[in-house]
């Protein structure tokens, strides 16, 4: 059996088209342009690429894109002042502070200074609490993208056994909360889990968010399971260049799974698409308008 490949790149295009449709309606019918502000502190090359892509895609769907690029010597006081200004700015509906921040800045303090209603990354402690208690919240983009792909694949997820490998605050834990919200029976595995292989073999839905290249082989995958590979790992090739691989050994897993996301081209492209979706959702909520269907958890 060879698994169906879940094309995250194509799915992200449909999400962005939906977002663009909602943006066009908001502009035409309500005279409102959703606005996203991205704050980058320092010169981290990977972060610069992410921020550039976010800005480009924000404009492509018709939203206002504002970028604040600050020196890596920026004080916490100045950064908090900027966030306070953005919190008060009616043109801005979403605020994202690109992580990681330089060491002298307290990430938790900075993230928790964002207005939770504008926290489109869903990392503010209020949004974490709302998600954990099954209330309306801003949902972290990567797990939201995974959930959208799983719903598309399965329709209802109710009663399925889901195993999430990884318990980080940005992927593993919110992913588990979302799967629980969709009535899966959820197991969260991590570095101390005993017999991880056996735990994984029980999964109808296996989400890998570890950051270890190809650590999950095909014989850990239940035949017919849906595998969502969040991992993005760069490994050396024989020619001295590098390539991206996930946390799952794709070559062996694709022979066993029912459906699987590739790396690259799976979860990755969905993350920015969900950031745009969250910004439209935040804009609708801020203006008391109905939320866009199919773009929220
Ligand atoms: P973290 O490093 O924060 O968390 C990794 C998790 O994996 C931890 O909970 C850790 O367990 C667990 N883990 C580590 N080693 C093992 C092991 N041998 N067996 C079982 N569990 C293990 O990573 P993130 O959650 O931030 O990211 C995970 C991956 O997803 C990375 O490759 C990252 O690049 C990628 N990513 C991709 C995104 C996308 O857009 N596609 C977005 C965000 C992340 P413990 O807690 O016990 O240490």
């Amino acid at each position: 059996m060879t698994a169906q490949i879940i094309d995250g790149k194509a799915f992200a295009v449909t999400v962005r088209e939906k977002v663009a449709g909602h943006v066009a309606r908001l502009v035409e019918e309500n005279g409102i342009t959703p606005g996203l502000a991205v704050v980058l502190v320092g010169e981290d090359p990977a972060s610069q690429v992410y921020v550039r892509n976010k800005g480009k895609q924000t404009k492509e769907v018709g939203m206002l894109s504002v970028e604040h690029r600050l020196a890596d010597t920026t004080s916490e006081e100045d950064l908090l002042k900027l966030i306070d200004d953005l919190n008060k700015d009616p043109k801005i509906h979403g605020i994202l502070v690109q992580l990681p921040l330089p060491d002298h800045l307290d990430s938790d303090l900075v993230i928790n200074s964002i207005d939770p209603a504008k926290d489109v990354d869903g990392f503010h402690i209020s949004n974490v609490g709302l998600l954990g208690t099954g209330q309306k919240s801003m949902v972290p983009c990567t797990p939201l993208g995974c959930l959208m792909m799983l719903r598309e694949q399965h329709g209802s997820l109710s009663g399925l056994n889901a195993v999430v490998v990884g318990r980080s605050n940005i992927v593993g834990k919110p992913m588990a909360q979302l799967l629980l919200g969709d009535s899966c029976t959820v197991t969260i595995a991590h570095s101390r889990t005993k017999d991880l292989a056996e735990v994984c073999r029980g999964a109808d839905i296996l989400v890998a968010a570890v950051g270890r290249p190809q650590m999950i082989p095909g014989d850990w995958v239940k035949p017919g399971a849906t595998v969502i590979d969040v991992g993005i790992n760069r490994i050396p090739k024989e020619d001295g260049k590098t390539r991206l691989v996930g946390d799952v050994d794709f070559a062996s897993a694709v022979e066993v799974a029912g459906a699987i996301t590739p790396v690259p081209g799976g979860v990755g492209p969905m993350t920015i698409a969900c950031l745009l979706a969250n910004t439209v959702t935040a804009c609708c909520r801020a203006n008391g308008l109905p939320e866009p269907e199919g773009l929220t958890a």
Side-chain angles (χ1 to χ4, degrees), residues 142-152 157 175 178-179 182 296-297:
T142 300
L144 178 59
C146 297
L147 182 74
M148 284 183 187
M149 290 193 285
L150 285 166
R151 284 180 177 166
E152 175 77 8
L157 306 181
M175 185 75 250
L178 289 171
L179 292 166
D182 270 26
T296 52

Side-chain angles (χ1 to χ4, degrees), residues 39 41 68 70-71 73-89 95 97 101 104-115 124:
V39 180
V41 187
H68 291 271
L70 309 180
T73 51
T74 301
S75 70
E76 202 161 81
E77 192 186 353
D78 285 350
L79 180 56
L80 293 176
K81 169 77 176 67
L82 171 62
I83 292 172
D84 189 44
D85 290 344
L86 294 170
N87 283 341
K88 289 176 183 151
D89 186 341
I95 303 169
V97 176
L101 287 171
H104 69 283
L105 299 170
D106 179 343
S107 299
D108 287 338
L109 181 75
V110 170
I111 296 303
N112 288 325
S113 73
I114 298 172
D115 177 349
H124 190 290

Side-chain angles (χ1 to χ4, degrees), residues 79-287:
L79 180 56
L80 293 176
K81 169 77 176 67
L82 171 62
I83 292 172
D84 189 44
D85 290 344
L86 294 170
N87 283 341
K88 289 176 183 151
D89 186 341
K91 295 191 299 301
I92 297 300
H93 305 95
I95 303 169
L96 180 147
V97 176
Q98 184 68 44
L99 299 175
L101 287 171
D103 288 344
H104 69 283
L105 299 170
D106 179 343
S107 299
D108 287 338
L109 181 75
V110 170
I111 296 303
N112 288 325
S113 73
I114 298 172
D115 177 349
K118 296 189 178 188
D119 167 40
V120 281
D121 247 346
F123 296 158
H124 190 290
I125 195 71
S126 298
N127 282 315
V128 175
L130 290 168
L131 179 62
T133 49
Q135 300 179 68
K136 194 182 271 190
S137 64
M138 296 308 303
V139 175
C141 304
T142 300
L144 178 59
C146 297
L147 182 74
M148 284 183 187
M149 290 193 285
L150 285 166
R151 284 180 177 166
E152 175 77 8
Q153 193 65 29
H154 286 266
S156 168
L157 306 181
S158 180
L160 295 177
N161 282 334
V163 173
V164 180
V165 189
R167 55 174 164 178
S168 73
N169 290 334
I170 62 166
V171 189
K173 283 183 201 156
M175 185 75 250
Q177 296 286 5
L178 289 171
L179 292 166
L180 199 56
D182 270 26
S183 298
C184 290
T185 303
V186 182
T187 303
I188 307 177
H190 46 77
S191 66
R192 309 291 172 89
T193 297
K194 286 186 183 148
D195 204 350
L196 183 59
E198 211 42 46
V199 172
C200 290
R201 284 186 196 114
D204 302 310
I205 292 170
L206 180 59
V207 181
V210 182
R212 293 171 78 95
Q214 300 165 314
M215 74 161 269
I216 298 181
D219 68 357
W220 291 16
V221 176
K222 178 177 176 179
T226 300
V227 178
I228 304 289
D229 191 352
V230 182
I232 302 177
N233 309 289
R234 197 166 277 287
I235 61 166
K237 289 198 297 184
E238 278 174 11
D239 62 5
K241 294 183 179 162
T242 60
R243 70 184 177 107
L244 291 182
V245 297
D247 292 339
V248 176
D249 176 39
F250 185 85
S252 57
V254 76
E255 298 299 328
V256 189
I260 186 168
T261 58
V263 178
V267 176
M270 286 295 286
T271 297
I272 298 184
C274 287
L275 172 68
L276 305 177
N278 276 349
T279 305
V280 172
T281 300
C283 177
C284 292
R285 287 180 187 169
N287 289 284

